[in-house]
Amino acid sequence: MKSIKIVFAAVVMLGLAACSMGPFAPPQTVAPVDVTQLAPMRVASVDVSVPETLTVSEDNSYDPKADIVWRGDPFGPRYPQVKAVVEAGIQAGTKDLDGNVPVDLVVVVQRFHSQTQKVRYSFGGKYEIYYDLEVRDARSGEVIIPSYTVYAIADAPGGDDALVADQEGRTEKDDNIALMADSIRAQLTGTVVAPAG
């Protein structure tokens, strides 16, 4: 009987892990323009919005049902915290772009899922940032890339790996800034951020 309970518990945990790690076939980003065929850009301005219609969960569960799940800052208003992380990621991902076309970026966050404590210190799961991106010519206001949805998804450390990350001083905020940096860089150039060093 005891072994049956253990097996049942393991199956339940695997099911929860699958839910928290997102779908097995994550949504795909489909850009309306082949960015590699455009003239090189440099970012003149960034307008990031996190609509307050998005739902927020502070529930320490395996699969909170909300648009925003964020624990990388102290408890407080999550909308400005998420906006700051996204802005920092965009800054990191575009700081060395020096093309001759100045552009304005309009970014609207649709989903921002990091980890609850239960997920981080058990199996890990995924980081997910879904956002709408529009790119405009900063001189003329012309839309260069019409608005489309970008799905930025990365593995998140769990269990012992999360403890190692904590010991090394690598935070959830660092991971999400890096994810956003790689994502925005890929959308504007077709390549991710070059590794440091």
Side-chain angles (χ1 to χ4, degrees):
M1 185 69 170
K2 192 176 204 179
S3 61
I4 292 174
K5 286 182 179 178
I6 291 171
V7 170
F8 177 74
V11 169
V12 169
M13 287 301 295
L14 285 171
L16 288 170
C19 293
S20 297
M21 290 187 294
F24 289 107
Q28 299 296 310
T29 295
V30 180
V33 174
D34 180 358
V35 72
T36 64
Q37 301 302 308
L38 299 177
M41 296 176 263
R42 71 177 185 276
V43 175
S45 75
V46 178
D47 178 13
V48 174
S49 62
V50 183
E52 295 200 1
T53 52
L54 298 180
T55 55
V56 177
S57 175
E58 299 294 340
D59 186 21
N60 186 23
S61 65
Y62 287 111
D63 190 23
K65 305 298 184 190
D67 302 310
I68 295 175
V69 176
W70 178 236
R71 305 292 187 272
D73 282 300
F75 178 76
R78 296 305 188 189
Y79 302 102
Q81 292 174 354
V82 166
K83 180 177 180 180
V85 171
V86 171
E87 287 174 338
I90 293 172
Q91 168 65 25
T94 63
K95 63 184 177 183
D96 64 341
L97 298 186
D98 57 359
N100 55 11
V101 179
V103 296
D104 298 326
L105 307 183
V106 180
V107 173
V108 182
V109 175
Q110 299 295 344
R111 176 182 174 91
F112 191 97
H113 265 224
S114 191
Q115 300 171 288
T116 65
Q117 299 88 331
K118 273 190 175 181
V119 172
R120 183 169 178 81
Y121 296 109
S122 55
F123 48 79
K126 300 284 186 186
Y127 294 127
E128 298 177 353
I129 305 174
Y130 299 174
Y131 61 96
D132 293 340
L133 172 65
E134 182 176 270
V135 180
R136 302 173 184 164
D137 188 306
R139 298 164 299 194
S140 68
E142 176 188 1
V143 174
I144 298 173
I145 305 177
S147 180
Y148 66 105
T149 303
V150 180
Y151 302 100
I153 303 171
D155 291 331
D160 290 343
D161 290 339
L163 293 173
V164 169
D166 290 347
Q167 291 164 358
E168 293 175 347
R170 195 183 90 235
T171 66
E172 289 187 68
K173 184 177 287 189
D174 296 330
D175 288 347
N176 279 274
I177 288 172
L179 172 59
M180 189 67 204
D182 284 346
S183 177
I184 198 70
R185 177 64 174 256
Q187 302 314 305
L188 298 181
T189 70
T191 60
V192 298
V193 176

